[in-house]
């Protein structure tokens, strides 16, 4: 009853056995928190649950269909809004659709760790949820638990709030950058000649603390990919692209030019967090020529990853948009990315 709105409870209170704060089970079931439970609870199922798991803070009337709280802290004053944060965890299950089933979440958590007592599950957007544990499961206990379900992302609400704040600050920083035109964009608007564009590009390369054109943003990766499988997938597709391109453009027949067909991209870094269900990543190439070659290869091959360790991919139709795509970061997006990298290094 701690998670039910106080006004909801007061509106349905009635006098029973000398107390005016009893609530009938049928009135309690009108609360929206029971709507998502499957199967839908009834008065009999609630009564059975109360009999199986005795409560130290609930008093049941003699007719067994009215309950009231006997906890003085709950009856005297409402709890603060964040009172349950220390007993709340954030979860991202690796099982498709389980996040929309509170009962299954509670059962899996309990089977994995018998010390966990689930009080309530707040569903997110289908891929995550907040789970309120019993008051006996404090934050320090949650951090000490080891027997969580395999490959689930689980953290305390305090840790989730910390990471969420970092994400929002970074997002706000990127938005502010894109709201203001940089010197390169201003020059491009007023000077359309080739010499002016070349001059502005050279100025940008001189003034920036990084080499432009090295970051490729990837989309439509398999959610179970790893850094190694991403590099293998990209390298293989570029290699096949080069072989076929040489075969099609040779004037005097196909020749196995080892210097060209064995050309390999040099990946400086793969910015990707594996086993988290992400379908996007950033890769940093050694040169801008490598980045442009990778974009051409992905566009020509149009392959999608069938699994997390797929290095070849399956050919997609022209109207199918789930093939692995690449885009070279430019302008403000590129500056924002490097700024985020620099900020992360400073925090370390």
């Amino acid at each position: 009853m701690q998670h039910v709105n106080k006004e909801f409870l007061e509106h349905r209170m009635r006098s029973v056995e000398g107390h005016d704060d009893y609530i009938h089970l049928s009135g309690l079931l009108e609360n929206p928190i029971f709507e998502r439970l499957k199967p839908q609870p009834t008065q009999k199922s609630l009564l059975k649950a109360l009999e199986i798991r005795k409560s130290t803070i609930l008093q049941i009337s003699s007719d067994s269909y009215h309950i009231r709280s006997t906890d003085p802290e709950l009856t005297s004053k409402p709890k603060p809004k964040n009172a349950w944060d220390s007993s709340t965890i954030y979860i991202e299950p690796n099982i498709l659709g389980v996040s929309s089933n509170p009962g299954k979440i509670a059962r899996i958590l309990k089977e994995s760790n018998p010390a966990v007592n689930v009080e309530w599950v707040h569903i997110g957007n289908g891929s995550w949820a907040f789970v309120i544990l019993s008051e006996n499961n404090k934050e320090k206990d949650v951090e000490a638990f080891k027997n969580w379900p395999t490959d689930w992302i689980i953290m305390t609400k305090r840790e989730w709030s910390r990471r969420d704040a970092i994400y929002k600050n970074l997002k706000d920083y990127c938005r502010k950058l894109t709201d203001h035109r940089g010197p390169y964009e201003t020059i491009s608007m007023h000077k359309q000649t080739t010499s002016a564009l070349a001059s502005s590009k050279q100025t940008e390369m001189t003034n920036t603390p990084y080499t432009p054109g090295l970051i490729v943003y990837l989309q439509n990766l398999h959610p179970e990919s790893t850094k190694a499988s991403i590099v293998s997938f990209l390298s293989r597709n570029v290699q096949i692209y080069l072989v076929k391109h040489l075969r099609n453009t040779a004037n005097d027949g196909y020749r196995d030019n080892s210097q060209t067909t064995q050309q390999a991209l040099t990946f400086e870094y793969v910015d990707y967090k594996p086993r988290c269900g992400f379908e996007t990543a950033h890769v940093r190439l050694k040169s801008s020529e490598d980045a442009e070659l990778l974009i051409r290869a992905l566009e020509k091959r149009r392959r999608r990853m069938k699994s997390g360790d797929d290095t070849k991919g399956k050919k997609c139709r022209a109207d199918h948009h789930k093939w692995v795509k690449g885009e070279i970061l430019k302008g403000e997006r590129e500056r924002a990315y490097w700024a985020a990298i620099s900020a992360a290094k400073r925090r370390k």
Side-chain angles (χ1 to χ4, degrees), residues 276-323:
C276 291
F278 296 144
E279 297 182 358
T280 61
H282 292 85
V283 293
R284 185 164 77 242
L285 284 301
K286 186 176 182 179
S287 65
S288 57
E289 291 76 13
D290 281 354
E292 293 170 358
L293 173 60
L294 175 59
I295 298 299
R296 292 197 302 271
L298 293 176
E299 175 70 30
K300 182 67 177 179
R301 298 274 296 159
R302 289 178 178 263
R303 300 274 168 163
R304 66 177 179 87
M305 300 179 73
K306 297 181 292 183
S307 63
D309 56 357
D310 184 12
T311 60
K312 183 178 180 181
K314 183 177 181 180
K315 184 71 174 180
C316 291
R317 302 189 308 271
D319 58 343
H320 196 287
H321 302 292
K322 283 297 183 180
W323 48 278

Side-chain angles (χ1 to χ4, degrees), residues 61-164:
S61 63
S62 57
D63 64 3
S64 301
Y65 285 96
H66 294 82
I67 60 174
R68 64 181 292 266
S69 173
T70 58
D71 187 345
E73 182 180 351
L74 293 175
T75 55
S76 60
K77 58 179 181 180
K79 279 201 170 188
K81 187 176 182 180
N82 61 346
W84 293 93
D85 285 2
S86 61
S87 299
T88 302
I89 60 174
Y90 169 86
I91 66 168
E92 284 186 23
N94 66 337
I95 306 174
L96 184 64
V98 74
S99 294
S100 59
N101 192 325
K104 185 175 289 187
I105 289 176
R107 178 177 59 79
I108 295 176
L109 289 175
K110 186 68 175 179
E111 290 176 350
S112 300
N113 196 329
V116 171
N117 295 313
V118 177
E119 294 283 345
W120 181 249
V121 178
H122 174 75
I123 303 301
N125 63 358
S127 62
W128 60 271
F130 283 120
V131 179
I132 300 177
L133 306 179
S134 167
E135 285 187 309
N136 297 326
N137 300 136
K138 295 300 183 181
E139 189 173 26
K140 60 180 181 179
D141 301 322
V142 171
E143 294 175 344
F145 288 155
K146 296 181 179 179
N147 298 326
W148 294 116
T150 305
D151 293 333
W152 283 31
I153 299 175
I154 297 180
M155 66 187 75
T156 63
K157 188 172 182 181
R158 184 190 302 274
E159 175 62 18
W160 174 85
S161 300
R162 186 186 70 82
R163 298 188 184 190
D164 186 59

Side-chain angles (χ1 to χ4, degrees), residues 133-201:
L133 306 179
S134 167
E135 285 187 309
N136 297 326
N137 300 136
K138 295 300 183 181
E139 189 173 26
K140 60 180 181 179
D141 301 322
V142 171
E143 294 175 344
F145 288 155
K146 296 181 179 179
N147 298 326
W148 294 116
T150 305
D151 293 333
W152 283 31
I153 299 175
I154 297 180
M155 66 187 75
T156 63
K157 188 172 182 181
R158 184 190 302 274
E159 175 62 18
W160 174 85
S161 300
R162 186 186 70 82
R163 298 188 184 190
D164 186 59
I166 293 175
Y167 166 75
K168 289 180 178 178
N169 289 337
L170 178 60
K171 187 177 180 180
D172 184 60
Y173 174 75
C174 295
R175 180 186 59 79
K176 289 179 180 179
L177 285 178
T178 55
D179 286 346
H180 299 84
R181 295 186 179 277
Y184 177 73
E185 287 78 7
T186 303
I187 294 175
S188 299
M189 292 178 61
H190 299 286
K191 298 182 179 180
Q192 300 296 329
T193 62
T194 304
S195 59
L197 290 174
S199 175
S200 62
K201 184 176 181 180

Side-chain angles (χ1 to χ4, degrees), residues 6 15 37 78 80 120 143 154 164 166 190 199 210 235 238 251 254-255 275 298 325 340 342 346:
K6 186 176 180 180
S15 296
L37 295 181
W120 181 249
E143 294 175 344
I154 297 180
D164 186 59
I166 293 175
H190 299 286
S199 175
Y210 56 85
S235 299
V238 168
N251 295 326
Y254 172 67
R255 294 180 180 177
R275 295 186 297 277
L298 293 176
K325 302 178 182 179
S342 299
R346 288 194 297 269

